[in-house]
Structure formats: structure tokens, C-alpha cells
Amino acid sequence: MLHNRIPPLFLVLLGHLIGISTGTDQDRPATLPEKPNILFIAIDDLRPELGCYGAEQVKTPHIDRFANRAVVFNRAYCQVPVCGPSRASLLTGVRPTRETCTLWNAEEFAPNVPTLPQWFREAGYHTISNGKIFHDPRDSWRKSWSEPPSLDFLTEHDRFLMPGSVADAQREGKQYPFFEAANVPDTSYVDGRICERTIEDLHRLKAMGKPFFLGCGFIRPHLPFNAPKKYWDLYDRSKIRIATNRFRPVDAPESLKGSTEIQMYATRGRTYNSDHFHKLARHGYYASVSYVDAQIGRLLNALEVLDLARNTIVVIWGDHGWHLGEHDYWSKHNLMHQALHAPLLLRVPGMETSIRVNAIVEFIDIYPTLCTLAGLRQPSHLDGSSLLPVILDPKTAWKQAAYARYENGHTVISQRFAFTQYHDGLMLFDLQMDPQENINVVSLPEYRQAAVKMIQMLRKDAPSR
């Protein structure tokens, strides 16, 4: 285990075992600098479709290389499968309720609590937001950020550069097409400029000499799949494998639906959900992921060049899962495992070795974890737990389940099962026997005991909520 190679960490683990409270300097690895910087990288609509998560078709060399020196959480889950509420929950450290799971603004989602960047700002950090951190960069900005956040992605995330792209969409009665592959430099689309601005900020922050919390939120692979042509050229579309389970899950309640988000965009003459459409849409998603991967590579290189890597914690996370044609679904907006399971990677100075954590973790755990690693006291409102014990020993006993809400559904996910209670029925998938979630087994006699246990676990998710 890690603490056998880095002796000071054993003392940290021992502290947890004998009951030292979280959020004090005593909990921090001795290898960590005082007030380490935080580089907080959010990626919109990214499911664990990365090489380091075993996705063989996608090309993500920079994140994969990062994973070789980081903690990779194999079973991380968002609390709401849609951008705004998921980010509001993560950035406030508060679980969603029946009422708040549809709120996109953190100030409405959890009023009168300090946000994650606010907590660091109040501890003396200089905090900056570039791109998409909160769903709306104006959300909570006066209390969260030391500088006004950049707003350009609000108008440029749907930027089209090729003549005829918008005209193609308008012929179908839509505003935009769902993809574009212009032969342009990275900075011609918005994520390249978000990356460039973040690198400029790294230079400024180094000169300031203060600890910083720097948020960098990339837009792709969110629709539309607009990425420079060179990233599309990484893939041979004819060899892209598509989902084999393009049917509705057997015996699923009526409340389970796919997203209509992609149907807001024009197909540019392709038949929706045809084989050709599936290959094209996957191609666009993969190209967008590779485009963002390249920007992350630039950020990580800048950290090294500026000699900031040695005292900077780096977090990479996707705000929720995504369907890539499974069940003929595209996007998020439901409570299936595919829409809730998201990537989470963490690199901590002095602990730069590959660590794989199979324990179930939740996005509400990120806030207290960063507090612990930075030596900050945790605010009392947090619903999550610091992940330091499971980072130090991935085999340590941890959470039995993750919880999520969306519209009229409430979900609990254990190591083996995913269970959802809707107002019109129940849904149970055996992730061990049926990882693609093709058959709802809740009514089968052999799963009765499992269903009862999952119902009991679901009730543990703050019944008053």
C-alpha cells in the first residue's frame, strides 16, 4: 500500500483510525505543502469515456498520462444527472432534495452556505473561474471569485465556423446542427481559448505569490460536437463500434425516458438513430473528448514549466454521465447508471503514484476532500466525507452506496445494484450480471431480497428530504 512507500502517510492513516477529527492540519499528508494551490478542471457531459477507464476506442493520451500519477476513482457518481444541479450540489457540498434537484442556481439550491471556491477565498486563496464551473458563471460569483468570471462561453459554446453549417440546420427548422469539424486552430473554438486564458492566469498567479483556486471548465464534449478537424481525423468512422443494446430496457417504468436534447439540433440530413447516425454521433463525441484532452495536456505542461506542479492539487471531473446510443438514448437526463457514473481523478503533490479506488464515492465528497488536503477546517453544512482515508488505503471500508435524484425519481447505487424509485414504479438493475442495464429485475422472485435491501438503503438518504 501507499503508506508502506511513504512513511509519513502511515501516521495520517493512524490518526484517522484513532479518531482524530477531519479538516485539521493533523490529517494532512506530511508531504503536502502548506496551502497547496488547486487547479479545478471541470468537463461538461464527460462520462468515463477515457483510456484510463478502459475505453478502448477513444484517444485521451494526456488524461491517461495524468492518471498514471493520480488517484482514479472508478466508481464516482454525481448527485443529479444534469449540468446545473449537479454542479450546484458539488460546489456547495449539499445533497439534492425532491425540491432542489431541479434548481440550476447554487444560490437557490443551497442558500446561505459557502461555496467551495468561497471557502478557499475566505481562507486567503485567490480564486478565479474560466469557462463553465457553475452552470451560469454569474451564479454566486461575487462571493466565490476574487475576479469577475469570464462570460464568453455563454455566447460562444455553440459557435459554428464552416459556411453552411447554420444554413443546413435552418433548412431542417432547427437553429444549429449537432456537429461541426472546421479545419481551424484549437483556439478558434471556445475550449481552446478557455485553456489559453487559464494558462495566462497561471502565469499571473505565480507572480502574485498567493495560493490559488483556479477553476477551468471545458464545454466539450457537450453538444454540439464542434471540434477542430484534426481531432475528427484521429478516428476512422467506419471502425467505430456503436451500442449493441439499442432497445428500451425490459420492464422499465414509464418514467424512464431518454433525453430529447440531441433532437434540438439538426442532423444535417442523417436519419436520427440510424446506424450511420450512431457512428457519426459517437465520432463527434470522441473528437470532442480528444480536443479537450489536448487542452488539459497544455494546462498540465504549463504547471510543470512554471514549477507549480510540486505544490498544486489537480482535480479532473465530468459533471455527470452520458448515454452514447445505449437504448437509443443520447445525453443524460435520467437515473440510469450510465447517466450518473462520471470520471473523477485527483493528483496530490507528494502522492504522485497510480492509485485505483473501487470504493463508491460521491461528488459531494469533493468539497470536504479538498478542505482536508489543503489543511482547511470543513464548514459544518457539508453532506459528504473527505476521501483521504480511502485514498491512503483503497481497501478501507467506505460508503455502501451513492444517491441521486432527478425529477420524480430517487436512486441508490451499491457495488452490485442500481435501484430507482419512481412515482409509477421501481427499477432494479444487476450491474454485475447486466452492466448495460437491459433488464429491470425488480419483479423477479430471485431478486426480491435484493430489492428490499435497496429500498431500505434508499430510505437512509436523509428521509426528511
Side-chain angles (χ1 to χ4, degrees):
M1 290 187 296
L2 179 63
H3 56 259
N4 289 330
R5 294 196 294 272
I6 307 177
L9 297 185
F10 175 76
L11 300 177
V12 180
L13 180 60
L14 180 62
H16 280 282
L17 293 174
I18 64 176
I20 296 175
S21 62
T22 60
T24 69
D25 286 339
Q26 288 177 292
D27 291 297
R28 302 172 70 248
T31 51
L32 261 178
E34 292 298 315
K35 286 198 171 181
N37 306 314
I38 310 291
L39 177 57
F40 192 71
I41 302 174
I43 308 174
D44 210 354
D45 281 13
L46 179 68
R47 76 182 197 174
E49 200 73 10
L50 303 166
C52 58
Y53 278 93
E56 298 176 354
Q57 293 197 90
V58 72
K59 293 176 172 60
T60 52
H62 302 287
I63 298 177
D64 296 345
R65 189 160 50 248
F66 175 84
N68 291 333
R69 300 172 57 201
V71 184
V72 179
F73 295 92
N74 291 329
R75 297 289 301 274
Y77 294 94
C78 69
Q79 272 50 76
V80 190
V82 62
C83 306
S86 174
R87 291 165 184 260
S89 176
L90 186 157
L91 290 163
T92 61
V94 174
R95 289 193 185 279
T97 68
R98 287 185 296 270
E99 292 73 29
T100 64
C101 70
T102 58
L103 298 178
W104 290 54
N105 186 295
E107 291 184 330
E108 297 176 357
F109 183 94
N112 304 317
V113 304
T115 68
L116 172 59
Q118 177 187 354
W119 194 248
F120 275 77
R121 182 183 182 185
E122 292 176 355
Y125 279 67
H126 194 83
T127 60
I128 296 177
S129 171
N130 287 321
K132 187 174 179 179
I133 301 299
F134 292 93
H135 181 77
D136 185 331
R138 296 163 294 195
D139 181 8
S140 308
W141 82 263
R142 292 186 183 278
K143 66 180 185 180
S144 297
W145 308 113
S146 303
E147 305 175 9
S150 58
L151 302 177
D152 57 349
F153 92 82
L154 290 176
T155 56
E156 297 188 22
H157 74 283
D158 283 346
R159 192 179 194 202
F160 289 84
L161 303 174
M162 295 177 69
S165 289
V166 175
D168 283 351
Q170 291 174 344
R171 279 191 288 272
E172 296 180 38
K174 303 293 177 71
Q175 188 174 8
Y176 300 122
F178 79 91
F179 71 96
E180 185 182 78
N183 190 11
V184 294
D186 286 10
T187 52
S188 295
Y189 288 120
V190 67
D191 282 326
R193 290 196 300 284
I194 290 171
C195 176
E196 197 167 66
R197 185 182 301 111
T198 304
I199 291 173
E200 291 171 357
D201 285 338
L202 284 172
H203 282 267
R204 284 198 302 121
L205 290 165
K206 180 179 174 62
M208 282 184 189
K210 289 181 63 177
F212 62 78
F213 184 108
L214 177 57
C216 177
F218 293 113
I219 313 306
R220 303 279 85 83
H222 192 289
L223 285 161
F225 301 138
N226 292 356
K229 181 177 179 295
K230 65 182 177 182
Y231 298 105
W232 290 75
D233 291 345
L234 294 174
Y235 301 92
D236 181 345
R237 190 179 304 165
S238 67
K239 295 181 180 178
I240 290 178
R241 299 185 300 277
I242 60 177
T244 58
N245 59 335
R246 289 162 52 190
F247 52 85
R248 181 175 174 79
V250 176
D251 292 333
E254 287 298 316
S255 286
L256 176 64
K257 295 179 174 64
S259 174
T260 60
E261 183 174 8
I262 202 168
Q263 296 173 48
M264 297 167 56
Y265 297 86
T267 65
R268 308 187 82 166
R270 280 76 174 181
T271 300
Y272 179 67
N273 265 338
S274 64
D275 284 1
H276 179 73
F277 179 90
H278 274 250
K279 282 185 174 286
L280 174 58
R282 282 212 172 208
H283 190 177
Y285 188 91
Y286 293 161
S288 298
V289 171
S290 292
Y291 171 43
V292 168
D293 176 74
Q295 310 318 304
I296 291 175
R298 292 179 61 203
L299 288 181
L300 297 176
N301 182 63
L303 276 183
E304 296 290 346
V305 169
L306 292 169
D307 195 29
L308 290 172
R310 60 184 174 81
N311 65 337
T312 300
I313 295 168
V314 182
V315 190
I316 299 176
W317 57 282
D319 56 358
H320 43 66
W322 221 79
H323 292 280
L324 271 174
E326 297 89 359
H327 312 293
D328 271 348
Y329 293 165
W330 298 93
S331 194
K332 53 276 186 183
H333 298 130
N334 66 42
L335 285 166
M336 298 189 76
H337 183 266
Q338 198 73 266
L340 299 171
H341 184 207
L344 174 61
L345 300 92
L346 176 69
R347 191 174 75 189
V348 181
M351 301 171 64
E352 294 164 332
T353 186
S354 179
I355 302 172
R356 290 278 175 167
V357 174
N358 292 317
I360 289 175
V361 304
E362 301 176 282
F363 276 6
I364 54 169
D365 298 329
I366 294 174
Y367 192 150
T369 300
L370 292 180
C371 286
T372 300
L373 292 173
L376 305 185
R377 178 180 60 84
Q378 295 178 28
S380 60
H381 76 273
L382 296 179
D383 286 334
S385 303
S386 170
L387 295 170
L388 184 58
V390 78
I391 291 171
L392 296 175
D393 181 3
K395 295 182 179 180
T396 195
W398 200 242
K399 292 185 178 183
Q400 290 188 347
Y403 298 89
R405 288 187 178 274
Y406 184 64
E407 294 183 341
N408 68 354
H410 192 190
T411 294
V412 57
I413 297 175
S414 68
Q415 283 288 347
R416 179 169 177 177
F417 295 104
F419 176 83
T420 300
Q421 181 176 18
Y422 291 112
H423 69 79
D424 62 349
L426 307 175
M427 193 166 68
L428 178 69
F429 292 107
D430 185 339
L431 300 176
Q432 179 177 306
M433 304 300 295
D434 178 26
Q436 292 293 311
E437 297 177 291
N438 292 329
I439 303 174
N440 177 18
V441 297
V442 73
S443 62
L444 299 182
E446 58 265 40
Y447 285 96
R448 186 172 301 153
Q449 186 174 355
V452 169
K453 182 177 180 181
M454 296 301 284
I455 291 172
Q456 293 172 342
M457 291 177 71
L458 192 67
R459 290 173 179 165
K460 293 180 181 179
D461 182 25
S464 62
R465 295 175 183 268

